[in-house]
């Protein structure tokens, strides 16, 4: 059993007047104020019957009340079930039922949805009912790293959603391992603009209280706002996915990048070489990273120093983590991971035996041990007995003039079993040019059998492309083949 | 059970060509080279019969072979018993016997002592027998934080020496907690010139492999060498005790301090206000720290930002640690500590129950929770029912013109039980001036009943003043009372 003082209370003691949360308008909440607010919210939650080990859902976009609720629950020893605000009522009902949720804390914008929920006896706790003065209950002043802190449903690009259990230790080791990788400087300030109901945003919140670092709270990603924060409000780090980096590149292209901006932590799947080259030429310090909900975000990272030499790689495992490939040396296989940030399992599902967690992602190591991702195991296309990884084809397609985005998935085929189909966004795309590019860069069996133009690629709240929706779109006749 | 890849192997993988150990002559050993050397030494130790869980002593001053031996033992899962090179044969015999030591690794300079040991069947393994090519045995590639790594005997200023058990987790959390406090910058380089057989030097070695940071290896403390490293070889941090800071102040007084020098981590007991003021005026970034072998070094630290406002304080507990005072609020009491860097106990001694470790140090908190040390519990003088803390008197005495060092201890007295006796080093010290200072600054019962002049204060290898030796010196007639 490893215990330590509650992270937020500790920072409130160590640096009471230091900003815990900054806002774009220049206002801030100090660590002492944040502790006070969270404890008052804990008192309100306690008054409404929340007890130790209860599962309490939070359904909210990024806002201070979300942050307060998270730590209020931790002061009571309750567990936070983080719900995606984009979920349908049916999906919410499933997760609330599956997660044994006793009460749901939510923002006003979610009221209609919450009222429509059919899952039995869940107490509704809109944010506005959690203000006011209540008797302070007994608070947890120490954290036990083995206690469960959060449940997050995996984004569900495939299969039924399962709740990933994260202990305090998973969050602690994630934050510490990230710091050992990225360094920790006194005046660091991390922009939090990814959803906190995902591990991507939530892990930034954890870093804030564990490092005693200011986070700058943005309600959502806004490239112009990010640039303002970096240029004028001292932000040094930001996390994002490739579509965000695309937008940032556009803005920074017309602007200067200050030296204090030391990290764009790029997650959410591999970025294209085209984008990485463009970011590198602008001097944006991109750290490509690999991670998922089950690894409590970042588990492998490529430093900018290696970015050119190892373009497209996700780097090496963090100091406390290990990566393995379930295949012969140099071959593509499933990525297995281990480390103290890796979740011990899913709620109410059997725990897998053994040290290694099978990610469902495919990849390989180069001669120096750098990881390259080849896509999802389930997304792998088997065509005439050959394994085809969509990411490889996608990387070629985005090089074609006019193509701004590309996704590849398998389509059933009588002769080959499956064949690759490409879905492209962009302007003035010519089928001939695409086929010429493929001819030069890809073995014949990897050439897309179908090339569709789409207005937009369907993505989930983490900006991951939903491949199964592409197939649905074809069936529904929503895509045109490119001439 | 929390496990992670072996720290040294991990750094050898992450940054094979990065310097692990730099030397004043400009040479260096990379992380890949260090791993190779340590594994070869592990092979030699395995050939000589060293096995998992064996207790193997190291008796050596700072040198590369010491570092290699430490990690060689860890690759075999053996435990390192770190012996002080200043120990007498009788003391070594005691620790080797008490620590169940099976073999002793040592430097040539210790040969005579090792040959004179009477403790039964201990295999002598001088460094020169541990070179050459041996078959590589099975190596531990993962670290379990709960496994014991080192045994260090407490310096023994009072009582019989006991071996403090440190797990890998104690060392890990010590390094991580220190980083959360001091920050971690990419180009940090820490000078290791304190003895590695003490936790002070050993913890710097641990930081090196855990952070992936270069350490600059000095055989011993040399103020001029430290300044050279800071000015010309990029050293950013150094640990030391107050007598070292005194010397550094002398050298820096005639020289410039580069901005890259960001931390003098000052441990080993409270420094005088006079010294701290002088260091502050020169711009030396002194972080006063409190810690001991049982806390795996640093557990509380005062940042330079608070140094003037809180002069003489040891600051606040690190992020993962807690401090308590066993007394009413604001009163002096024994300091109790908790945290994942605190040793679980002593070898072959009953483990204390409960979360808190009683340090034997006395101290108090000010209104903002900053810790002030008042001396050792056992050093407290009880005079006519009043508790007197030597540190308070010492702090006054060093302000007297001519006084360079001061130590106060209790002497038996028929009337009062005990009375304070002062031992001073310095030139042209006048008894009158001393008494005038005491009159102004100290309650009458705290005035020294005896004031002795000594050529030098007796110190142990950690530079702590050995108070019991002062009493012995008086008995032996080796001190003169100041007129």
């Amino acid at each position: 059993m490893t215990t330590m003082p509650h992270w937020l209370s500790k920072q409130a003691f160590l640096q009471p007047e230091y900003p815990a949360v900054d806002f774009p308008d220049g206002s801030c909440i100090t660590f002492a104020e944040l502790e006070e607010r969270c404890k008052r919210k804990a008192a309100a939650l306690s008054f409404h019957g929340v007890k130790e080990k209860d599962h309490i859902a939070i359904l909210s976009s990024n806002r201070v009340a979300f942050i307060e609720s998270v730590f209020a629950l931790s002061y009571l020893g309750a567990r936070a079930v983080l719900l995606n605000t984009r979920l349908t009522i049916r999906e919410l009902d499933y997760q609330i039922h599956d997660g044994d949720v006793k009460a749901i804390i939510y923002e006003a914008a979610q009221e209609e949805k919450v009222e429509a929920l059919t899952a039995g006896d869940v107490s509704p706790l809109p944010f506005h009912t959690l203000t006011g003065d209540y008797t302070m209950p007994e608070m947890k002043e120490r954290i036990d790293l083995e206690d469960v802190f959060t449940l997050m449903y995996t984004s569900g690009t495939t299969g039924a959603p399962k709740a990933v259990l994260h202990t305090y230790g998973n969050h602690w080791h994630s934050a510490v391992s990230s710091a050992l990788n990225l360094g920790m400087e006194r005046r660091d300030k991390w922009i939090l603009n990814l959803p906190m109901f995902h591990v991507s945003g939530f892990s930034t919140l954890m870093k804030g209280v564990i490092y005693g670092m200011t986070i700058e709270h943005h309600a959502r990603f806004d490239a112009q706002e990010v640039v303002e924060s970096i240029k004028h409000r001292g932000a040094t780090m930001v996390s994002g996915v490739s579509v965000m980096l695309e937008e940032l590149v556009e803005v920074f292209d017309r602007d200067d990048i200050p030296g204090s901006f030391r990290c764009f932590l790029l997650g959410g799947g591999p970025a294209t070489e085209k984008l990485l080259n463009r970011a590198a030429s602008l001097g944006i310090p991109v750290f490509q990273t690999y991670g998922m909900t089950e690894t409590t975000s970042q588990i492998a990272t490529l430093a900018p120093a290696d970015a050119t030499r190892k373009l497209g790689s996700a780097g090496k495992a963090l100091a406390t983590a290990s990566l393995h490939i379930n295949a012969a040396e140099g071959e593509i296989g499933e990525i297995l991971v281990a480390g103290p940030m890796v979740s011990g399992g899913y709620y109410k599902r059997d725990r897998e035996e053994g040290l290694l967690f099978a990610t469902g992602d495919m990849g390989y190591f180069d001669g120096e041990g750098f990881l390259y991702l080849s896509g999802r195991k389930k997304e792998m296309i088997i065509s005439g007995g050959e394994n085809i990884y969509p990411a490889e084809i996608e990387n070629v397609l985005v090089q074609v003039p006019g193509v701004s985005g590309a996704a590849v998935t398998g389509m059933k085929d009588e002769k080959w079993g499956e064949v690759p189909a490409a879905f492209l966004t962009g302007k003035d795309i010519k089928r001939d040019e695409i086929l010429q590019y493929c001819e030069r860069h890809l073995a014949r069996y990897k050439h897309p059998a179908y090339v569709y133009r789409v207005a937009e690629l369907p993505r989930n709240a983490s900006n991951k492309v939903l491949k199964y929706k592409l197939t649905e779109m074809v069936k529904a006749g929503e895509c045109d083949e490119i001439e």
Side-chain angles (χ1 to χ4, degrees), chain A:
Chain A
M1 191 185 78
T2 302
T3 71
M4 52 184 71
H6 191 285
W7 304 328
L8 175 56
S9 296
K10 185 70 182 194
Q11 293 303 331
F13 173 65
L14 289 176
Q15 40 181 9
E17 302 308 323
Y18 195 75
V21 189
D22 267 3
F23 299 92
D25 69 3
S27 65
C28 91
I29 300 173
T30 66
F31 277 108
E33 286 164 357
L34 185 60
E35 183 196 30
E36 170 71 15
R37 282 162 171 253
C38 295
K39 288 192 164 176
R40 288 164 70 95
K41 192 148 270 172
L45 287 168
S46 174
F47 174 83
H48 285 94
V50 174
K51 293 191 174 55
E52 193 169 345
K53 296 214 160 54
D54 279 351
H55 287 196
I56 309 298
I58 301 176
L59 181 63
S60 172
S61 54
N62 283 4
R63 51 182 69 242
V64 175
F66 190 131
I67 297 174
E68 291 166 3
S69 302
V70 165
F71 295 112
L73 291 174
S74 84
Y75 279 127
L76 298 174
R79 297 163 176 184
V81 181
L82 304 176
L83 301 174
N84 190 324
T85 55
R86 294 199 190 179
L87 295 180
T88 62
I89 291 161
R90 198 183 57 79
E91 290 167 319
L92 285 172
D93 267 330
Y94 173 85
Q95 296 187 10
I96 286 167
H97 181 260
D98 180 78
D100 293 324
V101 170
K102 186 178 149 184
I104 180 166
I105 301 169
Y106 60 95
E107 62 184 344
Q110 304 292 326
E111 190 167 2
E112 218 171 304
K113 254 191 217 170
V114 172
E115 282 174 357
L117 291 175
T118 60
D121 45 348
V122 179
S123 311
L125 296 174
F127 282 139
H128 68 81
T129 62
L130 301 177
T131 52
D133 279 324
Y134 296 91
T135 312
M136 286 286 175
E138 205 186 321
M139 306 275 183
K140 290 255 173 202
E141 290 299 339
R142 293 189 72 77
I143 279 171
D144 183 335
L145 293 189
E146 284 170 28
D147 281 346
V148 171
F149 184 12
T150 53
L151 286 82
M152 297 184 201
Y153 279 82
T154 44
S155 51
T157 43
T158 53
K162 295 178 285 186
V164 178
L165 293 166
H166 288 133
T167 60
Y168 285 92
N170 293 143
H171 290 296
W172 169 261
H173 287 289
S174 170
V176 165
S177 304
S178 176
L180 288 173
N181 180 256
L182 303 174
M184 206 166 23
E185 299 183 11
R186 185 69 195 112
R187 292 295 144 189
D188 272 339
K189 180 167 150 180
W190 205 307
I191 299 171
L192 196 171
N193 57 14
L194 299 176
M196 279 186 277
F197 54 73
H198 275 306
V199 76
S200 52
F202 195 85
S203 62
T204 303
L205 180 62
M206 292 299 102
K207 288 182 177 92
V209 293
I210 291 171
Y211 305 165
M213 172 184 71
T214 306
I215 54 172
E216 184 163 300
H217 178 280
H218 294 190
R220 67 192 62 78
F221 172 78
D222 177 316
Q224 195 61 53
E225 196 74 90
V226 169
V227 172
E228 288 297 312
S229 296
I230 290 168
K231 288 194 68 173
H232 305 299
R233 294 193 298 274
T236 61
M237 335 260 288
V238 65
S239 312
V241 295
S242 58
V243 290
M244 298 174 184
L245 182 58
E246 294 266 14
E247 286 190 45
L248 215 59
V249 158
E250 292 304 322
V251 180
F252 268 132
D253 210 10
R254 309 183 297 266
D255 226 325
D256 294 337
I257 304 179
S260 55
F261 177 36
R262 69 181 194 86
C263 171
F264 184 97
L265 191 62
L266 175 65
T272 63
E273 292 184 11
K274 186 177 166 185
L275 173 59
L276 292 172
N277 277 325
R278 193 143 169 239
S281 72
L282 287 171
I284 299 177
V286 175
F287 289 72
Q288 280 193 88
T289 176
Y290 170 61
M292 64 209 78
T293 308
E294 287 87 340
T295 61
T296 323
S297 77
Q298 192 188 5
I299 191 164
T301 301
L302 183 75
D306 292 317
T308 311
R309 198 167 66 90
K310 299 288 180 184
L311 207 72
S313 167
K316 294 177 175 178
L318 300 185
T320 60
S322 317
L323 294 174
H324 304 267
I325 299 285
N326 198 4
E329 210 180 314
E331 301 284 302
I332 293 175
E334 185 170 6
I335 301 168
L336 312 175
V337 298
M341 71 287 272
V342 177
S343 162
Y346 304 96
Y347 184 58
K348 293 201 292 196
R349 265 61 164 190
D350 285 340
R351 196 183 169 121
E352 296 275 326
E353 287 299 316
L355 186 69
L356 296 167
F357 168 73
T359 61
D361 290 321
M362 306 298 283
Y364 65 93
F365 292 133
D366 72 4
E368 292 177 76
F370 284 79
L371 177 70
Y372 289 79
L373 296 172
S374 313
R376 292 286 300 166
K377 190 176 173 182
K378 290 194 179 156
E379 288 176 2
M380 189 180 78
I381 302 162
I382 306 179
S383 188
E386 297 280 3
N387 294 346
I388 303 174
Y389 298 94
E392 191 185 356
I393 305 175
E394 289 161 4
N395 260 330
V396 169
L397 293 173
V398 291
Q399 317 260 355
V400 179
V403 173
S404 63
V408 169
T409 188
M411 304 276 271
K412 291 236 168 81
D413 185 86
E414 281 200 16
K415 186 174 176 191
W416 303 106
E418 282 185 300
V419 289
F423 297 79
L424 306 176
T425 60
K427 282 180 198 163
D428 304 324
I429 308 173
K430 308 250 169 358
R431 189 184 173 86
D432 281 356
E433 273 189 279
I434 289 165
L435 294 181
Q436 276 168 31
Y437 255 78
C438 290
E439 199 68 50
R440 279 209 298 282
H441 296 287
L442 295 168
R444 182 61 61 91
Y445 69 90
K446 297 178 188 171
H447 292 196
Y450 307 95
V451 184
Y452 297 102
R453 189 202 321 273
V454 289
E456 208 175 350
L457 294 170
R459 296 177 188 273
N460 69 9
S462 313
N463 265 299
K464 284 186 194 156
V465 174
L466 298 165
K467 300 267 173 113
Y468 71 88
K469 287 225 169 164
L470 294 170
T471 321
E472 285 174 10
M473 284 162 71
V474 172
K475 283 181 189 158
E478 288 169 25
C479 312
D480 297 322
E481 275 211 71
I482 293 174
E483 302 291 318

